[in-house]
Amino acid sequence: MDVFSTYNLDYLPENILIDVLSYLSVRELVKAGRVCKKWRRLVKDQKLWRLVDLTTWRGMTSRILWVLLRQYLGCGLRCLRLEGLLLSVRGGTFVSEAWLKALSAKCPRLSKLYLLHADLRSLPSCQLLPPSLKVLELQGCELPLGFFNQHPPPSSQGNAPATSSVQQKERSRDAPSGISIECLILKNVPSFKDQHLQSLTSWERLSRLELCDTFRVTANGLRGCAAKKGVCGMEGLFRLKYLGMSFTARQGYQRPMASSGLGSGWLGLQELSLGGKEVLPGLLYASRLKDLKRLSLKACTLGEKQIVHNCKKLRDLHRLEFLDVVFQPQLCPPEGEDGGEGERQEEEETAGGDNGSNESKPDQLIQNLSRSLAVLLPCCTLSFSNCSVQTNPD
């Protein structure tokens, strides 16, 4: 025991110490760097600063952000999560233009940025974000009207010959985009409107778009951005492969469903995810998406007839997913019109017993629905996750 009492953390290899420090939060890492010079050097290792979550740091200020950026964040940063001050008593904003420029210069490999409750109205454009970004998620943020606008590159207008609008569109399509974001996720962003959606048509690398509780987006706005063939070729969000739409507002809130804008079709769209109140109108027009291969329905209530009637038109579908879906069974026919149904039900009850039949009814309904869809869509893979059946109080 005397021999082991002489050993301390200095005898451990540095890679082991870095692995131990990786279990600490950002705030605890900063405190650990004040222990000694060796620990300060270990804390600054970029392996510890690849995935940085600052949403758990209460009392975050602009000064702390600058200290973290100057002393700790560097070329190893890949993912950054940051919470703003919209819901704070202090208010204000600290995601400034100067800080974003310094972040771009100091962290050239940053690919994912998650902003929560951030006030971005002081930023003129999203082009101030790091150019290395591939994924941008905004949740509960405030945006200016022209935030997603992509400014064209400056061109000399002195002796330049006049060009037609067709030639300008062709040049802008061939020229590389200044925004490299491939995935844009918007959750509960009330300031996101049809104008913002229209601005995304100039993003040449955008392939995945998720809109959750963006209640200012209308069916006309979505219809105007749908990929279609125009005079100069493809127009709209023709590079978009995945579109996710969900609306989970309170009961009784009525508005035009944005997913009904899919009725005009959408060329090139391969994956569609619908949730909440966007499921029924979106499912009604899903058959008009000629390139659709994968459909996901979640957080909604659907009847058996609705599913079978709308899904039988999706012959080319490869995968159909149900997540947190409540299925409504078909209403029983009036007395005297069920024919052999009643006899078959009595046989099942006598075969399985009362308790067993009651417990198996939800599973049996899902199994019957799965069989029906398997017949209608023989090349489609079905998935049911956390689904249930609505039971009548009778």
Side-chain angles (χ1 to χ4, degrees):
M1 294 296 297
D2 296 336
V3 176
F4 289 103
S5 62
T6 59
Y7 290 94
N8 52 33
L9 292 178
D10 294 335
Y11 288 91
L12 293 176
E14 291 189 355
N15 58 339
I16 301 298
L17 292 176
I18 292 176
D19 290 340
V20 174
L21 293 173
S22 64
Y23 290 94
L24 301 180
S25 64
V26 177
R27 194 165 190 172
E28 293 170 342
L29 274 178
V30 174
K31 292 181 179 180
R34 301 170 183 171
V35 175
C36 60
K37 293 183 179 179
K38 180 180 179 179
W39 279 40
R40 182 177 181 83
R41 178 173 55 82
L42 292 177
V43 165
K44 289 188 176 183
D45 192 286
Q46 286 302 300
K47 293 180 181 179
L48 300 174
W49 300 94
R50 290 182 178 177
L51 307 177
V52 178
D53 186 3
L54 299 179
T55 58
T56 59
W57 190 316
R58 300 303 175 188
M60 176 64 65
T61 62
S62 176
R63 178 178 175 275
I64 297 176
L65 272 182
W66 278 106
V67 170
L68 292 175
L69 181 59
R70 290 168 179 170
Q71 299 185 11
Y72 300 99
L73 302 183
C75 60
L77 184 62
R78 300 294 191 274
C79 176
L80 176 62
R81 299 178 62 92
L82 181 62
E83 184 176 3
L85 301 175
L86 277 179
L87 301 182
S88 175
V89 179
R90 295 176 294 161
T93 175
F94 51 73
V95 184
S96 61
E97 182 176 348
W99 189 84
L100 288 174
K101 290 181 178 180
L103 180 67
S104 303
K106 191 76 179 299
C107 308
R109 298 179 181 177
L110 179 62
S111 60
K112 298 180 181 180
L113 180 61
Y114 301 88
L115 298 179
L116 175 64
H117 302 146
D119 190 359
L120 306 178
R121 288 174 291 186
S122 61
L123 304 179
S125 172
C126 64
Q127 287 188 315
L128 293 173
L129 298 176
S132 59
L133 281 185
K134 301 299 180 183
V135 179
L136 175 63
E137 179 176 341
L138 305 177
Q139 182 175 353
C141 298
E142 288 292 340
L143 307 175
L145 187 59
F147 183 74
F148 296 108
N149 290 342
Q150 179 173 286
H151 304 291
S155 58
S156 59
Q157 301 179 356
N159 300 325
T163 58
S164 62
S165 60
V166 176
Q167 294 176 348
Q168 290 178 357
K169 289 184 178 180
E170 291 179 352
R171 290 182 180 180
S172 62
R173 185 178 292 109
D174 297 335
S177 172
I179 299 177
S180 59
I181 296 176
E182 300 175 357
C183 176
L184 178 61
I185 304 173
L186 300 170
K187 295 182 179 180
N188 192 19
V189 181
S191 57
F192 188 82
K193 305 178 181 178
D194 291 340
Q195 294 87 335
H196 294 98
L197 188 62
Q198 184 65 35
S199 301
L200 297 178
T201 56
S202 62
W203 290 25
E204 296 189 2
R205 295 182 177 89
L206 185 64
S207 61
R208 186 182 182 95
L209 177 62
E210 299 184 25
L211 304 177
C212 179
D213 289 339
T214 52
F215 56 86
R216 294 184 183 272
V217 177
T218 63
N220 292 331
L222 190 67
R223 190 179 298 111
C225 297
K228 51 187 175 295
K229 292 182 179 180
V231 180
C232 307
M234 297 295 296
E235 296 179 352
L237 291 170
F238 60 94
R239 289 183 175 85
L240 200 65
K241 302 301 179 184
Y242 176 93
L243 176 63
M245 301 189 67
S246 60
F247 186 71
T248 57
R250 62 185 183 273
Q251 296 293 332
Y253 184 83
Q254 301 294 332
R255 71 173 184 92
M257 298 303 167
S259 57
S260 60
L262 299 173
S264 59
W266 195 305
L267 298 177
L269 190 63
Q270 299 179 0
E271 300 183 25
L272 178 64
S273 177
L274 301 171
K277 295 184 178 182
E278 298 289 355
V279 172
L280 287 179
L283 184 60
L284 182 63
Y285 297 110
S287 59
R288 302 187 183 183
L289 306 177
K290 303 301 181 181
D291 301 319
L292 187 64
K293 303 300 179 184
R294 183 168 180 171
L295 177 61
S296 178
L297 308 176
K298 55 185 179 180
C300 62
T301 302
L302 293 174
E304 290 183 81
K305 291 185 178 180
Q306 291 175 331
I307 299 173
V308 174
H309 176 72
N310 292 285
C311 291
K312 67 181 180 180
K313 305 175 184 178
L314 304 174
R315 295 292 182 178
D316 298 330
L317 204 63
H318 291 174
R319 185 173 179 83
L320 178 59
E321 300 176 348
F322 297 93
L323 177 63
D324 295 329
V325 176
V326 179
F327 297 107
Q328 290 180 339
Q330 296 182 9
L331 296 178
C332 298
E335 263 185 47
E337 297 182 4
D338 53 351
E341 268 314 299
E343 297 178 1
R344 193 179 326 127
Q345 185 176 1
E346 290 179 1
E347 292 177 0
E348 291 175 356
E349 290 178 357
T350 55
D354 294 338
N355 296 334
S357 63
N358 292 334
E359 293 178 357
S360 62
K361 278 183 180 180
D363 295 336
Q364 184 179 359
L365 187 144
I366 295 177
Q367 290 176 3
N368 294 337
L369 179 61
S370 179
R371 293 193 195 100
S372 302
L373 292 176
V375 174
L376 296 175
L377 308 173
C379 300
C380 181
T381 303
L382 302 176
S383 175
F384 296 86
S385 300
N386 198 22
C387 296
S388 59
V389 178
Q390 186 177 14
T391 57
N392 295 326
D394 297 335

